[in-house]
């Protein structure tokens, strides 16, 4: 499907939960997060129905994100359901890696093709501080398990403050080079002020070539990360929600006062 600006939209990013086992400083406050009640979260059957309706409209690439997707119960089953939809060519996931060691093999078996693991620094203490309690050894173990499971490519998402030649970013880049991983640098963004930047090694932030729609865990179809607009798949039906999101997809992102990274998926 093409949007008003002739961009081909074939990529749907699905946030499966707004919950997370970390509290990264740039993403979530330490305490007092208002989570979406479980009753409002789309079931796996509903997510599959969204994918089934989206594929005939031109979606063939799916990313599962969160919150942290691996904290949602039976996530492997969701991958299996999505992989069973004819026409889905590519299934990816973005994870913080804390539980990847355990899940990499079953996810690959269920049909996951590739994975992005978030890692902003190589310094264990700094990692624990940025994520408010994360254990960097789990990330490395998760990446190793992903490699063994045949997930490919393995990309590393590294959030940078200003430039991709910051010391932490350079260390992550060196680790990726040594280990055959693809580094993606993402400028730290602020949805509420509309500050966003081009991602090195990825397609995010490049509005002219944007190919994506987003589905939140409570079933809102969104045209853009930096937009307040959203359309309920439950109330409107999937097809209508997609058509409306497509029809208002902005030429360029502005601000999103409505969402935070942990509930839209980054
Ligand atoms: N929990 C998973 C993870 O951390 O990979 C998936 C969800 S997370 C919201 C997706 C991506 O968004 C991560 O790579 C994370 O680093 C990035 N992210 C979160 N907050 C951000 C911010 N303020 N600016 C830029 N990227 C951000
Ligand atoms: Fe959780 Fe990912 Fe946000 Fe960190 S970036 S708090 S891991 S959702």
């Amino acid at each position: 499907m093409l949007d008003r600006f002739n961009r081909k939209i074939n990529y749907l990013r699905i946030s499966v939960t707004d919950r997370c086992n970390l509290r990264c400083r740039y993403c979530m406050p330490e305490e007092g997060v208002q989570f979406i009640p479980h009753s409002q979260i789309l079931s796996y059957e509903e997510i599959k129905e969204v994918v089934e309706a989206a594929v005939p409209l031109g979606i063939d690439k799916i990313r599962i994100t969160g919150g942290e997707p691996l904290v949602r119960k039976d996530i492997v089953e969701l991958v299996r359901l999505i992989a069973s939809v004819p026409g889905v060519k590519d299934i990816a996931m973005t994870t913080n890696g804390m539980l990847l060691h355990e899940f990499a093999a079953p996810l690959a078996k269920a049909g996951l093709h590739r994975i992005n693991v978030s890692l902003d620094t190589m310094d264990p203490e700094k990692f624990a501080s940025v994520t408010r309690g994360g254990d960097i050894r789990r990330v490395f173990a998760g990446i190793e398990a992903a490699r063994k499971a045949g997930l490919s490519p393995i990309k590393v998402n590294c959030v940078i403050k200003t430039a991709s030649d910051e010391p932490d970013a350079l260390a992550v880049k060196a680790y990726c080079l040594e280990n055959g991983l693809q580094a993606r640098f993402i400028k730290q963004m602020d949805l509420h002020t509309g500050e966003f930047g081009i991602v090195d090694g990825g397609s995010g932030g490049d509005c002219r070539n944007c190919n994506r729609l987003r589905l939140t865990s409570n079933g809102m179809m969104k045209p853009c990360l930096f937009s307040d607009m959203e359309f309920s798949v439950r109330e409107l039906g999937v097809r209508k929600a997609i058509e409306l999101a497509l029809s208002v997809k902005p030429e360029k992102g502005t601000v999103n006062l409505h969402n935070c990274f942990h509930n839209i998926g980054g």
Side-chain angles (χ1 to χ4, degrees), residues 70 95-105 114-122 127 135-158 172 175-183:
L70 297 182
T95 173
N96 62 29
M98 289 299 111
L99 300 171
L100 187 56
H101 178 66
E102 180 187 334
F103 282 104
R114 53 204 188 83
I115 197 132
N116 288 46
V117 184
S118 298
L119 179 66
D120 304 336
T121 174
M122 293 301 289
F127 182 85
D135 181 348
I136 202 168
R137 290 171 302 180
R138 288 185 156 266
V139 180
F140 298 140
I143 289 174
E144 203 36 50
R147 186 203 311 283
K148 282 201 183 120
L151 294 172
S152 174
I154 301 172
K155 296 187 184 175
V156 170
N157 287 11
C158 177
V172 170
Y175 163 73
C176 289
L177 273 175
E178 276 161 28
N179 291 280
L181 314 168
Q182 295 180 22

Side-chain angles (χ1 to χ4, degrees), residues 1 12 42 45-57 59 213 215 219-221 231-246:
M1 59 189 144
L12 178 63
L42 291 186
E45 217 24 73
E46 286 176 301
I47 294 176
K48 184 184 178 203
E49 284 166 17
V50 171
V51 175
E52 281 171 338
V55 168
L57 296 173
I59 298 291
L213 293 177
L215 180 68
M220 296 297 174
M221 193 63 70
F231 302 92
S232 166
V233 298
R234 276 182 175 157
E235 284 169 22
L236 298 160
V238 183
R239 204 188 156 92
K240 190 81 198 154
I242 291 178
E243 283 168 0
L244 287 170
L246 188 76

Side-chain angles (χ1 to χ4, degrees), residues 8-239:
K8 186 178 164 204
I9 308 299
N10 70 328
Y11 185 17
L12 178 63
R13 294 169 76 107
I14 303 175
S15 172
V16 296
T17 179
D18 59 343
R19 286 153 211 259
C20 186
N21 46 3
L22 295 179
R23 290 287 181 278
C24 301
R25 291 177 192 277
Y26 46 70
C27 180
M28 256 185 173
E30 188 163 20
E31 282 170 12
V33 190
Q34 286 283 321
F35 291 111
I36 299 169
H38 284 294
S39 59
Q40 288 179 25
I41 301 282
L42 291 186
S43 69
Y44 287 165
E45 217 24 73
E46 286 176 301
I47 294 176
K48 184 184 178 203
E49 284 166 17
V50 171
V51 175
E52 281 171 338
V55 168
L57 296 173
I59 298 291
D60 58 13
K61 202 175 154 188
I62 304 284
R63 177 172 299 275
I64 300 170
T65 178
E68 173 50 37
L70 297 182
V71 302
R72 182 146 174 199
K73 197 161 169 272
D74 296 330
I75 190 70
V76 175
E77 185 51 29
L78 177 67
V79 171
R80 206 185 324 277
L81 283 175
I82 293 175
S84 74
V85 177
V88 173
K89 294 196 187 126
D90 182 66
I91 312 176
M93 181 180 282
T94 306
T95 173
N96 62 29
M98 289 299 111
L99 300 171
L100 187 56
H101 178 66
E102 180 187 334
F103 282 104
L107 285 170
K109 217 166 153 212
L112 190 74
H113 296 113
R114 53 204 188 83
I115 197 132
N116 288 46
V117 184
S118 298
L119 179 66
D120 304 336
T121 174
M122 293 301 289
D123 177 337
E125 278 171 27
K126 211 162 179 182
F127 182 85
S129 163
V130 171
T131 57
R132 296 201 186 92
D135 181 348
I136 202 168
R137 290 171 302 180
R138 288 185 156 266
V139 180
F140 298 140
I143 289 174
E144 203 36 50
R147 186 203 311 283
K148 282 201 183 120
L151 294 172
S152 174
I154 301 172
K155 296 187 184 175
V156 170
N157 287 11
C158 177
V159 173
I160 54 172
K161 286 251 160 33
T162 50
S164 52
D165 60 358
E166 293 164 8
D168 282 319
L170 288 177
V172 170
K173 197 173 190 170
Y175 163 73
C176 289
L177 273 175
E178 276 161 28
N179 291 280
L181 314 168
Q182 295 180 22
R184 290 174 80 244
F185 296 102
I186 307 162
K187 189 128 188 291
Q188 190 171 319
M189 300 183 260
D190 187 333
L191 293 179
H192 301 170
T193 63
E195 262 184 52
F196 61 103
I198 303 248
V199 179
D200 277 1
S203 57
D206 181 5
C207 299
R208 269 180 314 177
N209 294 312
C210 185
N211 60 350
R212 52 190 75 167
L213 293 177
R214 296 171 180 272
L215 180 68
T216 65
S217 56
N218 56 344
M220 296 297 174
M221 193 63 70
K222 295 194 65 84
C224 172
L225 179 58
F226 283 87
S227 162
D228 277 330
M229 279 180 283
E230 56 184 29
F231 302 92
S232 166
V233 298
R234 276 182 175 157
E235 284 169 22
L236 298 160
V238 183
R239 204 188 156 92

